[in-house]
Each structure stands twice: as structure tokens, then as C-alpha cells.
Amino acid sequence: MNLVKIFVVALSLGLDVFAVGIGVGMRGAETALKIRIGLAFATAEVVMNLVGLGLGALAGQLLGAVAGYIGFAALIGVGGYMIFEAIREAEEKVPLDMSRGWGLFIAALSISLDSLGIGFSILYIGVPLYLALGVIFVVSICATFAGLTLGRALGRRVEEGAELFSGIVLILTGIAFILAKVFQVG
């Protein structure tokens, strides 16, 4: 059951970086660029998970058992925000050079905000931390590389759909974790 939880979380995070990878890949990308962006995105995902983990641990000390529910509600909130952003970005695209420097840093930071919510709640879903972070790291690299590679072929429609789907998956994940905690399942 722990592996299923980890893969659901990693998939929802991976879909977000896949969507961004498609956007960059539509212009074409060399292998070195794919590796650089993949490592930057995966590192940002794991770092934000750790920041969220620290915040979740602190909240757990201050708030007790209710902190888990707050973490799961954060997942739902982040998922809703991702859906909002997917719809807003579909209406107005502002190009950002994500291949290097500040553009890459800002892109990595913005796509890893969902990881903050995951990190906050990861203590409360009962999965091995290092395994979860390792799977998230590998899935993020693979999803970024796949998005960059397939970007030119798949185009903007898939990019927008993947970000929207990622938000939906996060909302459903948060709801599922709340229900599992309430009914003490898994």
C-alpha cells in the first residue's frame, strides 16, 4: 500500500513537470538542456518536499493530530490552485526562458510549490520518507525528460491538459488521504 501512495504522489508531481517540459520541448531541446532542466526540476521538487516536511513536523508538534488534516487540505488547495493556473495560463501565455539562469530557477521554484504541500503531508500518509523522496526525484527527472522529448510532437494542448490533470490528481489524492485517515485505512 505504501508504494501505491508514493506513486500516486510522485505521479501528480510528475505530471506538473511533464507539462512544463512539454512547453519547453515544443521549441526543441538538446540532451544537455534536458538533463539540466530535469535535474533542476527534480532537485526543486525534493527540496520543497523537505521544506514542507519541516513545516509539517513543526505543525505536528504545535497542532497534534489535526496537522495531518491540514496537510491533506493543503494538497487540495494546491491542486485547486494548479487548476486555476492551468486555466489562466491557457488564456495568456508569457514566454519564459527556462533553459538557464533565473528563468530556470523561477520555473523550478514555481513548479515545486505543489511539493511544499506534499512535503507538509508526507509525514501523515505513513510512507518511508527516503523511499518517497527517491521515487519523487526519479519520476520528476523522467517526467521532465519525457516532456522535453515529446514536447514538439505533442504541442500545447497536452501541456495544458497535463497541468490541469495534475491539479485534479492532487485534489483527489488529498481527499483520499483524508478519508483513509478518518476511516483508518492503509
Side-chain angles (χ1 to χ4, degrees):
M1 188 61 156
N2 281 342
L3 280 178
V4 171
K5 291 178 185 178
I6 291 170
F7 280 116
V8 166
V9 167
L11 175 67
S12 65
L13 295 174
L15 286 171
D16 195 25
V17 295
F18 178 72
V20 174
I22 288 173
V24 175
M26 285 190 300
R27 294 180 299 236
E30 298 174 6
T31 302
L33 177 62
K34 292 176 187 177
I35 292 169
R36 182 171 57 237
I37 292 173
L39 287 174
F41 286 2
T43 301
E45 295 284 349
V46 170
V47 167
M48 288 300 262
N49 266 285
L50 291 172
V51 169
L53 177 72
L55 292 173
L58 179 62
Q61 290 176 345
L62 297 174
L63 302 173
V66 76
Y69 293 105
I70 293 170
F72 302 145
L75 287 181
I76 295 168
V78 169
Y81 178 74
M82 289 174 68
I83 291 170
F84 171 77
E85 283 296 307
I87 293 168
R88 186 184 64 82
E89 288 174 3
E91 295 170 357
E92 57 178 75
K93 285 286 184 187
V94 177
L96 176 67
D97 179 13
M98 292 184 267
S99 63
R100 64 185 60 79
W102 283 107
L104 179 58
F105 177 77
I106 290 169
L109 182 63
S110 69
I111 64 154
S112 64
L113 290 177
D114 52 351
S115 292
L116 188 63
I118 294 289
F120 189 90
S121 62
I122 206 161
L123 291 172
Y124 305 100
I125 61 175
V127 298
L129 178 63
Y130 295 113
L131 178 62
L133 293 176
V135 170
I136 288 168
F137 187 79
V138 169
V139 168
S140 294
I141 288 175
C142 292
T144 302
F145 196 82
L148 290 168
T149 302
L150 299 173
R152 191 174 291 274
L154 295 176
R156 187 159 312 279
R157 175 170 288 161
V158 175
E159 174 191 14
E160 293 165 359
E163 189 174 3
L164 184 67
F165 184 67
S166 179
I168 292 168
V169 168
L170 273 180
I171 289 172
L172 294 176
T173 300
I175 291 170
F177 289 156
I178 287 172
L179 292 175
K181 188 167 179 75
V182 167
F183 295 110
Q184 299 176 353
V185 177

